[in-house]
Amino acid sequence: MKTCILAIAMSLPLLAGADDSFLIRGATVHPVTGPEIKDGSVLVRDGKIIGIGHNLSAPKGVRVIEAKGLHVYPGIIDSGTELGVSEIGAIRESVDTGELGTFNPQLRSEIAINPSSEHIPVTRANGITTVVVMPMGAGGGGRRGGGGGIINGQAALVHLDGWTWEEMEVQKSAAMAMRFPTIQSPFGRFGGGDPSELPPGFTRTTFTDQKKTYESQLRELREFFEEARRYQKAKETKAPGFKPDLKYEAMLPVLEGKVPVVAMGGHERAIRDAVKFADDEKVKLIIGEPRELGKMGPELKAKNIPAVLGPTLALPEHEDDGYDSAYSLPAEFYKAGVKFALGSFSNEFSRNLPYQAGTAVAFGLPKEEALKAITINAAQIWGVGDKLGSLEEGKWADLMVTDGDPLETKTQVKQVFIKGKTVDLENKHHRLYEKYLARP
Amino acid sequence: MMKAFLTTLLACAVSYAAAPILIQNATILTVTKGTYKGSVLIRDGKIAEVGEKVTAPAGATIVDGTGKYVMPGIIDCHSHIASDAINEGSVSVSSMVGIPDTINPDDIDIYRALAGGVTTANILHGSANSIGGKTIVLKMRWGKDAHDMIFQGALPGIKFALGENPKRAGNPTGQRINATLRYPATRMGVEDVIREAFQDAKIYQQEWKDYNAKVARGESAVPPRRDERLEPLVEVLEGKRLVHAHCYRQDEILMLLKVGDEFGFKIRTLQHVLEGYKVAKEIADHGTGASTFSDWWAYKLEAFDAIPYNAAIMTRKGVIVSLNSDDAQLMRHLNDEAAKTMKYGGLTEDEALALITINPAKQLMIDNKVGSIEVGKDADLAIYDEHPLSNYAKVDKVFIDGELYFDRDKDIAGRPAKEADKEKLLEKEKQMEQQRRPNGGTNRRPAE
Amino acid sequence: MKRLILALVAVAALHAELPSAIAIRNARIVPANSPTIARGTVLLRNGLIEAVGTDVQIPADAWVVEGDGLTVYPGLIDSISTLGLPNAVTTAAATGGGRGGGANVIQAAPASTAPPARGPEDRPSTTSWEKAADEVKPTDTRIEAARSAGFTTAVSFPHRGIFAGQGAVVDLAGEKGGDMVVAPSVGQYVTLTNSGFGGGYPGSLMGSIAYIRQIYIDADYYQKAKAKYAANPRGNPRPAYDRALEGVIDSPRVLIPVSRRIDVDRMLRFATELKVKAILYGAVEGYRSADLLKSAGVPVLVNLRWPEKARDTDPEEIDNMRVLENRDKAPSTPAVFAKNGIKFALYADGIERRTDLYRAVKRAIDAGLSQDDAVRAMTIWPAEIYGVADRLGSIEKGKIANLVVTKGDLFQDKTEVKYIFVDGIKFEPVPEEPPAFGNRNGAPSNGEQQ
């Protein structure tokens, strides 16, 4: 009986009036920035949340969605993805995450997003409404390729709905993606330093050489910033002989502190170096995909530098690390008072972001914090905390209706709304499911 | 005096045989015989009793299971850990090589898998070749030597691979620039390689049959040369070696089932089999098991039609399905992966749990020993602090053959001491370093 | 003055005007397999030890070497070597410096010019018929330095490939190669090289092991086929001559590389499966493997190139505990073996400088190996392992006159090598090379290999 009502209730939006106005009622509402509201209502008008509370009533013409027994959450934000810019990792032609060249601030990921990517419907079907599309640097399929570039381009913040990337846009330039120079362990997966374990023919690069490379890269980076500053000055003062340059133009918002730099690093040293650099160059910094926190907690907290953590479900960095070192990293960041969001740094696994958050809870992260890491924290880190990330009056109606806790796998996402518009949850996987289930 | 002596002797004997263990008052997920609050008694490495009310025998160690969940140890049907080698990628038929020759019991990923609830893993050769090397089933007995990790009584296996991977080395624009091209370069060639190999195996099998017949008749005969490459294939023909075939697309899946029919052998499991849902009927008819990912897709072209409903569809169509990892990290949370089949396809809790316990056990033909919590089976158990199908769950303890191989509390408690030991060695090394170079600690010699 | 005379004698020795007998008198004598003689005489004649003891009569025609304050040891035997072989790169140079013992230790570059193997039938990695005895030459410039460290004998092996060839016990002096050979075929040198992923067969450790297995199956088959044919050649096709299999069959022992405990476990089982008389070499984790070796009856050659911390590493990258432990405990392997009655010997793996060699042995002594056992591990024990103890390895009447005479105990920092006798010919040590930059083991440093 209940299912029946629900089914009818779900189909109502197709019959009733304006698509981006509706009232959800009878659900447990989870604003994230406030306590949960049992038997609550969310009122949406023209794509914005205009009311949250108990027993709100729908104005005339606004359809009602009965959601008894269900839950309403803000739409999930994935703070690091390849969605739309990489289709099949192994096929180079379908991958656009990494360009050639060392300093490419002028590259914009937004315009390379394919709104018809099969990954988009599949991902939003699990309640992910907004993602950051991150350029990763040369080498093929994003993080699978590895960075050769230092400044890789502008990351875009987009909604997972729209006929064109223009319609999807939330922020064309949410951050400048940087792979900060750092001294990497020379062995990679052969870590441990035992020379007799190297495969035959493999020669080690010495720390001295690594350091030289690092220092020269750092020098190049600093010079680039200096040139950008000179350009900035020349432009401001309308210096004679001034010629516009796309690369330096793209650096201006970074120098002005309007666009943060996401420094992809890894180890503690990379974080340290990035923080120092940001101090020296006076730019806003976000730490990208750190694999450890080390002793950097207090400094990150004091300087209000947030982080975007990669997948929780990862192997430890070193053989001697605790087996749960990656699992408990989010909890570590939380305990150190460092604000963070979570990113899948993937396309195919973006839909599993809430489960990464769930595992973090098992290993010490409070449940509310886990939810914040994929909603409000993310929104605030990307500078759209006034528009997204929680169920509050005045914010966009990016939200989902579920039959349970979104961090639990078994939970079904019943409905998704982006800016108040119903999102079509049909996707390639579901279509193939129906088709082949019905095969005689 | 004598009595006291004998009693002491008896006491020693009793304590010598490991004391029985009772895991008490937990939620027992038997997988095959329902879920209920109860207890499990372990004795002599086996499950001696399981039920709602189990009394503790004298001398039993009690493990308090209040609020905890006990399930059978997870069985991963596709793994590459614990081996010093994975692929012999030089030739398309490498059946002479095998994982059993390179078992590495020191691989830390064994311990990490344990910490994720895994007690048994099917260690496979990689997917570089149409016919790969021999495979082996291991229990995650961390700390034991290689031989003691082998799952006694499990049939040996062999790996086949279809699709993109085994033909990569035939691709002129492929990975390596100066390498010689290796046949096959197409899916057509992959089938050919397999059929040719089994054709050779059949001839070889006949040669030995003829020779043995001659010897039986008392005739003088020259035996055929023992060919290590063809021996395992003959074992496949005779049903003594299980075939685990990596495959993706429906056409190659169908192809292999038919090649099996042609030569008279069964494919034991199809691995990955991401388009298995399209030919579930044929798979079920052939009697093959399917071991797949929960939701991996789009990383290569042949995985582009992969759907997270794969396991559910195949299950509904009568295929015995398991979920595997093929990855040291994914292996650590197969319980989370199983939960996905409830979301995508509506499998029940027991059906989902079966995918990582009794089903892989059946596929590996070890279900008489492991895969569910039933009296008489090996005491391979994992204790979780929340329901294992919840993302909030983590593993507390893992038993294999009734021995405690993983204990989270002990692991965490032991970390400071390990750190200290490491510090000691590092300090010692630093001292030695300074002693050797008393003049300021530089490596430099004046001549340079 | 004395030195001048001795120099003239040495020169004269090179011109084949050898003294008919030499007596080293009033020296401390460490025979290796019998108790030390505090003060005695060793008499050499015609390249052999004629007498040794406290009351040896020195014949009139003997040259006398005053042994006061000196100690006479049996000449050291390097249990795995390439000394005397032309074109053999030292292990360290081939593999990039500073390696610990193990499977990759003695490995020249793989035969990359040959076309990749198409399968087990192809066997480009087998040159089992090659004999070091056929190739050794006394003109190898490394021989002098080796002698100056106290080596009189080396067991030299070809090193290239999986079945690299047959080793020979060679004395480190002679006019031509043949003069040097003491025992022409003492063992087959096996490595687990492979061409890596993307190369020919075998391209993995699994492949190398399968490769070796098939060779032994084929060798067994070949022997049976040959015997059958020999018994009845008429009317029967003959088995093709296969020099690779002949080489394997001719080898009385097989040297198999191991590094970790799991390698020891694996190779002991493999040797049992193949039914070969095995010697394991390398053994970085020997100290952890005593229980496996104790009852196995398989001798082990322990690499003196103890695992070292790599040079110039990232100070923020700390090695694994396993690696740290090996560095700490590897030098205790000989002591652990001695304690457990496991037969072993030591080999230099290309350590050329005397100081470096003695330092390496001393580390083993500091870790618990007795001085006497250290001497035995480089004299009588390798002789026993290779089946030449009837003629080498100790100071006994009738054995070959291979001796090293030192001032001070062997293997100490301040040890001075005074004379070396090879086949009864007296040599003096040459001055030591200065240490190469940055590497304690005397091999070329990492920097040169980049």
Side-chain angles (χ1 to χ4, degrees):
Chain A
M1 190 56 183
K2 204 188 230 173
T3 344
C4 197
I5 295 175
L6 244 44
I8 298 171
M10 289 304 145
S11 59
L12 274 178
L14 298 163
L15 311 168
D19 190 42
D20 59 358
S21 302
F22 55 85
L23 171 73
I24 302 176
R25 69 174 176 215
T28 308
V29 177
H30 304 261
V32 173
T33 46
E36 72 180 32
I37 304 166
K38 282 215 166 14
D39 192 31
S41 316
V42 180
L43 180 59
V44 173
R45 192 185 199 105
D46 298 330
K48 286 224 171 87
I49 299 171
I50 60 168
I52 303 185
H54 284 107
N55 297 322
L56 301 179
S57 45
K60 199 156 188 296
V62 170
R63 68 182 197 270
V64 175
I65 300 170
E66 299 292 353
K68 196 145 184 198
L70 301 178
H71 299 255
V72 185
Y73 285 87
I76 294 173
I77 302 171
D78 188 346
S79 293
T81 72
E82 299 175 344
L83 277 173
V85 291
S86 169
E87 198 64 11
I88 298 177
I91 299 183
R92 190 68 191 84
E93 287 78 0
S94 76
V95 175
D96 287 303
T97 53
E99 186 51 83
L100 302 169
T102 314
F103 297 106
N104 279 323
Q106 77 286 9
L107 298 181
R108 301 180 298 186
S109 59
E110 184 187 74
I111 52 89
I113 296 174
N114 181 2
S116 303
S117 165
E118 296 286 6
H119 290 278
I120 293 176
V122 157
T123 304
R124 71 188 183 202
N126 204 29
I128 289 91
T129 53
T130 314
V131 303
V132 174
V133 178
M134 196 88 81
M136 305 273 192
R143 62 202 291 264
R144 282 179 271 270
I150 295 179
I151 300 182
N152 295 318
Q154 299 161 41
L157 185 68
V158 296
H159 274 138
L160 289 185
D161 198 16
W163 292 95
T164 64
W165 51 256
E166 195 175 15
E167 288 188 10
M168 291 166 69
E169 175 180 308
V170 175
Q171 267 195 325
K172 190 196 297 277
S173 187
M176 186 65 68
M178 240 177 70
R179 188 163 289 278
F180 201 79
T182 188
I183 302 174
Q184 291 286 54
S185 162
F187 292 136
R189 79 172 274 259
F190 300 105
D194 183 356
S196 68
E197 286 192 359
L198 294 178
F202 190 98
T203 46
R204 245 190 83 239
T205 357
T206 59
F207 179 64
T208 310
D209 288 341
Q210 290 277 323
K211 198 144 187 273
K212 277 196 212 129
T213 313
Y214 160 73
E215 276 158 8
S216 88
Q217 284 181 333
L218 197 57
R219 231 186 346 262
E220 270 184 72
L221 179 59
R222 286 195 190 279
E223 275 164 20
F224 187 78
F225 266 71
E226 252 186 69
E227 280 158 28
R229 263 201 204 83
R230 261 181 253 134
Y231 178 89
Q232 183 186 41
K233 195 139 191 181
K235 184 176 185 196
E236 274 171 27
T237 60
K238 298 196 204 325
F242 170 81
K243 272 198 280 279
D245 180 308
L246 290 180
K247 281 196 203 224
Y248 298 132
E249 278 296 326
M251 288 298 291
L252 296 181
V254 173
L255 298 175
E256 291 160 15
K258 293 195 190 126
V259 168
V261 165
V262 175
M264 306 291 284
H267 293 156
E268 186 183 343
R269 177 195 276 129
I271 302 176
R272 219 171 38 229
D273 292 342
V275 170
K276 179 165 189 317
F277 184 82
D279 275 346
D280 292 345
E281 303 289 341
K282 300 195 190 9
V283 295
K284 267 178 75 182
L285 179 65
I286 300 172
I287 303 292
E289 249 201 306
R291 300 305 314 276
E292 59 184 9
L293 180 57
K295 301 194 186 65
M296 290 304 296
E299 197 174 346
L300 292 179
K301 177 175 177 183
K303 296 184 172 155
N304 281 325
I305 297 173
V308 176
L309 268 51
T312 313
L313 290 161
L315 286 171
E317 280 292 285
H318 306 106
E319 184 170 306
D320 291 340
D321 288 347
Y323 76 92
D324 55 353
S325 59
Y327 297 169
S328 43
L329 191 63
E332 214 182 313
F333 269 76
Y334 167 69
K335 283 180 199 136
V338 179
K339 190 189 207 118
F340 67 92
L342 296 180
S344 65
F345 291 93
S346 158
N347 46 5
E348 81 219 61
F349 294 129
S350 180
R351 64 178 164 192
N352 291 336
L353 189 70
Y355 313 144
Q356 302 280 356
T359 300
V361 173
F363 289 87
L365 184 67
K367 214 187 254 197
E368 320 76 57
E369 293 302 318
L371 189 54
K372 281 198 205 152
I374 57 176
T375 54
I376 188 62
N377 283 2
Q380 287 170 345
I381 288 172
W382 301 114
V384 290
D386 54 337
K387 299 199 195 61
L388 304 176
S390 58
L391 302 179
E392 291 181 70
E393 290 179 26
K395 289 199 173 178
W396 287 342
D398 286 2
L399 48 95
M400 59 173 167
V401 180
T402 68
D403 68 359
D405 180 355
L407 269 53
E408 285 283 34
T409 310
K410 283 174 274 183
T411 302
Q412 301 285 9
V413 174
K414 299 289 189 189
Q415 282 202 302
V416 177
F417 299 90
I418 292 181
K419 271 179 153 170
K421 278 175 57 202
T422 313
V423 168
D424 182 6
L425 296 185
E426 186 54 273
N427 60 71
K428 176 179 185 185
H429 293 178
H430 193 252
R431 279 195 300 273
L432 285 171
Y433 169 57
E434 306 256 84
K435 175 175 175 181
Y436 281 93
L437 193 64
R439 183 189 166 198
Chain B
M1 178 64 188
M2 192 54 172
K3 198 172 181 183
F5 174 69
L6 284 174
T7 324
T8 323
L9 205 61
L10 194 67
C12 289
V14 165
S15 64
Y16 235 88
I21 302 171
L22 182 70
I23 305 171
Q24 220 173 38
N25 299 332
T27 304
I28 314 288
L29 304 146
T30 66
V31 178
T32 46
K33 300 233 158 57
T35 297
Y36 47 82
K37 262 225 163 46
S39 308
V40 184
L41 178 67
I42 300 170
R43 186 186 277 129
D44 296 332
K46 301 255 187 270
I47 298 168
E49 250 186 274
V50 54
E52 289 178 16
K53 280 192 173 27
V54 179
T55 21
T61 313
I62 309 287
V63 174
D64 181 18
T66 314
K68 312 263 189 224
Y69 297 75
V70 185
M71 66 172 274
I74 295 175
I75 299 169
D76 186 354
C77 212
H78 189 128
S79 179
H80 299 297
I81 65 168
S83 176
D84 277 340
I86 298 177
N87 266 311
E88 174 53 57
S90 58
V91 289
S92 280
V93 179
S94 63
S95 37
M96 59 279 182
V97 312
I99 301 288
D101 284 333
T102 56
I103 299 171
N104 178 357
D106 279 355
D107 185 358
I108 190 68
D109 285 331
I110 298 171
Y111 182 73
R112 291 171 180 165
L114 261 178
V118 177
T119 52
T120 299
N122 189 22
I123 312 297
L124 301 180
H125 182 280
S127 54
N129 312 329
S130 312
I131 295 183
K134 297 176 265 207
T135 69
I136 196 161
V137 182
L138 299 179
K139 283 208 186 185
M140 306 283 94
R141 296 184 183 113
W142 178 247
K144 297 275 195 285
D145 283 333
H147 199 73
D148 295 326
M149 287 191 59
I150 298 174
F151 193 116
Q152 295 301 330
L155 281 178
I158 184 167
K159 175 82 177 286
F160 289 9
L162 313 177
E164 289 176 24
N165 291 13
K167 64 185 182 102
R168 190 166 291 134
N171 181 356
T173 59
Q175 323 286 301
R176 300 175 302 279
I177 307 169
N178 287 323
T180 359
L181 292 178
R182 181 192 77 165
Y183 183 86
T186 67
R187 284 181 164 83
M188 301 186 293
V190 171
E191 187 204 32
D192 179 43
V193 167
I194 298 173
R195 291 180 72 227
E196 304 260 6
F198 275 93
Q199 186 78 285
D200 290 346
K202 271 215 133 96
I203 294 170
Y204 176 79
Q205 183 187 38
Q206 192 56 49
E207 283 171 3
W208 276 96
K209 280 202 182 120
D210 292 344
Y211 166 76
N212 288 328
K214 276 199 180 146
V215 169
R217 289 197 297 271
E219 290 172 31
S220 139
V222 179
R225 168 183 170 270
R226 186 187 160 90
D227 187 328
E228 281 288 293
R229 178 172 22 189
L230 296 176
E231 286 285 333
L233 301 184
V234 171
E235 287 171 342
V236 168
L237 291 171
E238 293 174 353
K240 296 185 188 139
R241 187 173 285 277
L242 307 179
V243 175
H244 303 294
H246 153 128
C247 55
Y248 279 78
R249 260 179 27 189
Q250 58 153 304
D251 47 293
E252 65 210 19
I253 295 169
L254 200 57
M255 174 279 285
L256 190 64
L257 298 180
K258 290 195 181 297
V259 167
D261 289 338
E262 179 189 347
F263 287 91
F265 66 91
K266 288 269 177 239
I267 310 299
R268 187 72 205 163
T269 67
L270 296 162
Q271 298 279 336
H272 307 327
V273 63
L274 296 188
E275 285 194 8
Y277 66 94
K278 297 184 182 178
V279 284
K281 186 162 74 109
E282 284 80 358
I283 296 173
D285 286 344
H286 187 88
T288 296
S291 190
T292 186
F293 295 130
S294 60
D295 67 353
W296 284 29
W297 72 293
Y299 48 100
K300 41 184 169 144
L301 188 55
E302 58 190 359
F304 200 51
D305 269 10
I307 58 177
Y309 304 89
N310 195 22
I313 296 176
M314 288 196 288
T315 301
R316 293 278 168 264
K317 305 265 180 182
V319 180
I320 297 192
V321 181
S322 68
L323 290 183
N324 68 47
S325 73
D326 193 8
D327 176 67
Q329 170 46 37
L330 189 58
M331 180 176 206
R332 311 206 284 153
H333 54 98
L334 283 170
N335 55 318
D336 294 341
E337 302 310 303
K340 288 174 183 167
T341 61
M342 295 180 67
K343 178 188 177 79
Y344 297 107
L347 290 191
T348 66
E349 228 173 64
D350 273 348
E351 283 173 330
L353 286 174
L355 301 177
I356 54 177
T357 54
I358 192 63
N359 283 5
K362 284 186 184 152
Q363 291 174 343
L364 297 173
M365 299 178 78
I366 50 177
D367 52 306
N368 56 334
K369 296 208 168 101
V370 291
S372 59
I373 305 184
E374 292 182 64
V375 172
K377 289 202 175 180
D378 294 350
D380 291 359
L381 305 164
I383 304 180
Y384 285 79
D385 65 347
E386 299 282 343
H387 193 292
L389 295 175
S390 159
N391 285 329
Y392 301 133
K394 55 184 182 291
V395 176
D396 252 5
K397 293 184 171 56
V398 177
F399 292 87
I400 299 180
D401 302 320
E403 241 182 273
L404 185 62
Y405 274 89
F406 172 76
D407 184 327
R408 177 169 163 83
D409 291 338
K410 285 212 184 90
D411 176 297
I412 293 175
R415 287 179 196 181
K418 277 169 87 173
E419 262 307 302
D421 283 343
K422 197 170 179 179
E423 275 309 311
K424 248 189 251 152
L425 278 185
L426 288 168
E427 201 39 56
K428 189 172 173 192
E429 230 171 40
K430 220 194 296 185
Q431 303 278 11
M432 279 175 62
E433 200 75 4
Q434 282 166 359
Q435 273 174 17
R436 249 183 233 140
R437 266 183 293 285
N439 48 305
T442 61
N443 282 357
R444 252 172 277 287
R445 305 275 177 179
E448 309 297 321
Chain C
M1 186 55 186
K2 199 190 226 171
R3 226 171 264 150
L4 177 60
I5 295 174
L6 289 170
L8 286 171
V9 166
V11 168
L14 291 170
H15 290 270
E17 272 281 2
L18 300 162
S20 45
I22 302 178
I24 309 163
R25 75 169 169 203
N26 294 332
R28 183 168 75 114
I29 303 170
V30 179
N33 63 348
S34 56
T36 301
I37 301 169
R39 197 175 170 78
T41 301
V42 184
L43 178 63
L44 323 175
R45 186 189 290 280
N46 292 331
L48 301 177
I49 298 169
E50 189 164 271
V52 55
T54 48
D55 51 5
V56 171
Q57 295 286 28
I58 298 176
D61 63 332
W63 273 94
V64 174
V65 173
E66 295 300 340
D68 251 298
L70 302 181
T71 312
V72 186
Y73 294 93
L76 300 181
I77 301 175
D78 193 2
S79 315
I80 299 181
S81 178
T82 56
L83 285 172
L85 293 173
N87 309 320
V89 267
T90 57
T91 62
T95 56
R99 280 167 174 253
N104 289 336
V105 149
I106 302 182
Q107 176 179 306
S112 50
T113 47
R118 281 165 292 122
E121 326 70 49
D122 266 7
R123 309 205 202 113
S125 301
T126 298
T127 48
S128 53
W129 60 85
E130 267 184 30
K131 289 166 85 157
D134 292 340
E135 308 291 328
V136 287
K137 287 187 176 27
T139 48
D140 185 342
T141 51
R142 298 171 295 159
I143 288 180
E144 254 194 337
R147 273 201 309 252
S148 307
F151 285 114
T152 58
T153 314
V155 189
S156 290
F157 291 88
H159 274 61
R160 204 180 299 255
I162 296 180
F163 284 89
Q166 300 166 46
V169 177
V170 296
D171 273 353
L172 297 178
E175 287 191 2
K176 48 190 204 307
D179 294 341
M180 299 166 72
V181 177
V182 174
S185 176
V186 293
Q188 179 75 217
Y189 191 78
V190 164
T191 72
L192 296 169
T193 47
N194 57 76
S195 21
F197 195 77
Y201 177 79
S204 69
L205 177 63
M206 276 190 293
S208 306
I209 293 175
Y211 182 100
I212 294 169
R213 181 182 284 125
Q214 186 71 62
I215 293 255
Y216 277 99
I217 289 172
D218 290 349
D220 183 56
Y221 185 77
Y222 178 73
Q223 273 187 301
K224 293 199 173 95
K226 275 205 309 178
K228 213 174 166 92
Y229 181 73
N232 191 14
R234 233 174 245 245
N236 287 317
R238 68 182 186 283
Y241 177 80
D242 189 327
R243 63 176 175 172
L245 298 180
E246 295 281 352
V248 165
I249 292 164
D250 285 345
S251 304
R253 292 170 206 92
V254 183
L255 276 73
I256 302 177
V258 294
S259 179
R260 309 159 297 176
R261 176 196 165 82
I262 66 181
D263 301 323
V264 173
D265 187 26
R266 185 182 289 157
M267 289 305 146
L268 283 176
R269 285 182 189 280
F270 196 37
T272 308
E273 179 200 329
L274 299 176
K275 300 200 192 53
V276 292
K277 194 169 162 141
I279 301 174
L280 303 180
Y281 69 90
V284 171
E285 286 191 9
Y287 69 91
R288 290 177 67 202
S289 315
D291 58 322
L292 298 168
L293 291 161
K294 212 163 160 162
S295 40
V298 171
V300 184
L301 305 177
V302 181
N303 192 323
L304 279 168
R305 206 182 271 282
W306 309 119
E308 297 279 340
K309 187 165 148 78
R311 291 293 158 136
D312 202 356
T313 51
D314 186 339
E316 285 190 35
E317 286 292 324
I318 299 178
D319 290 323
N320 296 338
M321 187 61 176
R322 203 168 35 92
V323 168
L324 292 173
E325 258 193 334
N326 280 353
R327 288 210 290 261
D328 184 45
K329 297 217 173 64
S332 68
T333 293
V336 169
F337 283 178
K339 187 157 150 222
N340 283 279
I342 295 162
K343 187 60 152 260
F344 72 97
L346 303 171
Y347 66 100
D349 192 12
I351 300 174
E352 289 184 358
R353 296 179 69 237
R354 188 191 63 241
T355 316
D356 296 332
L357 177 73
Y358 290 4
R359 204 170 277 157
V361 180
K362 186 148 188 308
R363 278 186 76 185
I365 296 172
D366 291 342
L369 183 67
S370 72
Q371 172 75 19
D372 284 342
D373 279 347
V375 171
R376 289 186 198 119
M378 297 193 74
T379 55
I380 188 64
W381 286 347
E384 284 170 356
I385 290 172
Y386 283 111
V388 291
D390 51 355
R391 61 205 103 143
L392 275 185
S394 58
I395 307 180
E396 281 183 76
K397 179 181 159 109
K399 286 201 175 179
I400 296 170
N402 286 353
L403 308 166
V404 53
V405 182
T406 62
K407 184 156 186 202
D409 278 342
L410 254 187
F411 309 133
Q412 305 304 316
D413 283 339
K414 296 250 179 358
T415 312
E416 263 182 68
V417 170
K418 287 295 197 184
Y419 317 110
I420 313 100
F421 291 83
V422 180
D423 286 315
I425 304 168
K426 182 155 140 290
F427 294 94
E428 295 206 0
V430 297
E432 212 177 42
E433 287 289 313
F437 168 53
N439 191 305
R440 295 189 278 280
N441 284 347
S445 71
N446 285 339
E448 292 179 18
Q449 302 311 312
Q450 301 311 311

